[in-house]
């Protein structure tokens, strides 16, 4: 009986090479890793701590599932992020920044400061999330000397920050219990905030751009401060 001819083996797929500027320059090398559309916005989201894929997709309106998956894979390969499974009983996986990925914090903060003047008017098609105001607001709060967790409430939602002496040192932008390169801000209300502030998005942007100080905004009633501790007292200018 004649032997059946075995189908020819398919050649192994070659790994896809990411596009590169092919320039021996630090800026070009950095853009090789973070220059693709959506990458820095994913970093912005992960600066708030580990996120599930579905949460990232929900807070990045406009990104397709294929593009988001591709960017996350690229970030893993570049050493900017990693994926890990949560311990039982949860079966979910989360993405989080590595130390190198967290090193992009000053880049995002500078971009937020540079781009703030373009937010003079909100377009009808603009999406918004409360925590997108976290990085701009952090810059306006660096002069605080009392350390603590500050809960921020906007009409768009809530988030919380760790402010005070530690926050003035760059890498000190972390929430209690986080690693040295942990969360810069937290989603939603804080468990035990040392103070709470209520303000509008326009006031938040004005503070970020230096158009007013927090003390001025509190005195004229545009920022409401709640709390009885030292941090709340400093926020009220007492």
């Amino acid at each position: 009986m004649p032997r059946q001819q075995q189908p020819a083996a398919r050649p192994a797929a070659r790994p896809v090479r990411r596009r590169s500027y092919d320039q021996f320059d630090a800026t070009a090398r950095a853009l090789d890793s973070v220059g693709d559309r959506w990458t820095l916005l994913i970093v912005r989201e992960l600066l708030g701590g580990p996120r599930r894929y579905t949460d990232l997709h929900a807070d990045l309106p406009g990104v397709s599932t294929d593009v988001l998956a591709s960017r996350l894979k690229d970030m893993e390969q570049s050493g900017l992020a990693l994926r890990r499974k949560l311990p039982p009983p949860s079966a979910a996986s989360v993405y989080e920044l590595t130390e190198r990925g967290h090193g992009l914090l000053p880049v995002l903060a500078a971009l937020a400061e540079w781009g703030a003047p373009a937010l003079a008017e909100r377009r009808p098609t603009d999406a918004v999330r409360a925590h997108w105001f976290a990085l701009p607001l952090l810059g306006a709060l660096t002069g605080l000397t009392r350390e603590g967790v500050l809960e921020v409430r906007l009409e768009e939602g809530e988030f919380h920050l760790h402010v005070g002496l530690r926050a003035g040192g760059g890498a000190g932008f972390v929430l209690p219990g986080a690693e040295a390169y942990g969360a810069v801000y937290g989603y939603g209300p804080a468990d035990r905030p040392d103070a709470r502030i209520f303000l509008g998005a326009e006031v938040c942007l004005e503070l970020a751009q230096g158009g007013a100080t927090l003390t001025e905004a509190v005195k004229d009633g545009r920022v409401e401060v709640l709390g009885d501790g030292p941090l709340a007292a400093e926020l009220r200018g007492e």
Side-chain angles (χ1 to χ4, degrees):
M1 187 174 179
R3 262 188 191 177
Q4 291 184 345
Q5 187 174 0
Q6 297 295 326
R10 292 182 178 180
R14 294 182 180 180
V16 178
R17 183 175 182 267
R18 293 187 62 196
R19 289 180 297 176
S20 172
Y21 289 100
D22 290 327
Q23 296 180 12
F24 191 69
D25 167 73
T27 302
R29 285 288 196 271
L31 290 174
D32 283 347
S33 295
V34 300
D36 287 334
R37 192 180 183 205
W38 296 105
T39 299
L40 285 177
L41 295 183
I42 295 172
V43 173
R44 178 197 65 192
E45 297 302 307
L46 294 180
L47 283 170
R51 304 292 308 273
R52 296 180 300 176
Y53 176 89
T54 52
D55 295 330
L56 285 171
H57 189 257
D59 280 337
L60 290 167
V63 68
S64 69
T65 54
D66 289 345
V67 169
L68 178 57
S70 176
R71 294 295 180 271
L72 287 168
K73 185 176 181 180
D74 289 343
M75 290 174 67
E76 288 185 85
Q77 292 176 346
S78 299
L80 300 177
L82 57 86
R83 182 186 181 191
R84 65 176 173 88
K85 288 186 177 181
L86 294 176
S90 175
S93 295
V94 294
Y95 291 90
E96 59 188 342
L97 293 176
T98 62
E99 184 174 6
R100 179 168 175 77
H102 199 272
L104 289 164
L105 169 58
V107 177
L108 267 292
L111 277 174
E113 181 180 359
W114 182 79
L119 299 179
E121 183 177 349
R122 182 176 168 185
R123 297 172 297 198
T125 56
D126 281 343
V128 65
R129 302 289 188 272
H131 64 268
W132 294 350
F133 294 92
L135 292 182
L137 188 59
L138 268 174
L141 299 174
T142 53
L144 293 173
T145 61
R146 297 292 186 175
E147 187 180 343
V149 176
L150 175 64
E151 184 176 289
V152 182
R153 296 188 181 183
L154 307 171
E155 290 183 4
E156 291 78 8
E158 302 164 324
F159 60 92
H160 52 283
L161 308 165
H162 189 192
V163 299
L165 290 174
R166 284 180 63 197
F173 279 138
V174 293
L175 293 170
E179 298 180 12
Y181 47 94
V184 174
Y185 60 87
Y187 299 94
D191 291 334
R192 295 180 179 178
D194 297 286
R196 293 183 176 92
I197 59 173
F198 296 78
L199 71 165
E202 296 80 7
V203 178
C204 186
L205 290 173
E206 185 179 358
L207 294 174
Q209 296 178 58
T213 66
L214 182 61
T215 301
E216 292 169 346
V218 170
K219 285 184 177 179
D220 63 24
R222 291 184 296 157
V223 175
E224 181 183 359
V225 180
L226 296 181
D228 301 320
L231 176 59
E234 184 176 8
L235 289 168
R236 283 191 289 263
E238 298 173 358

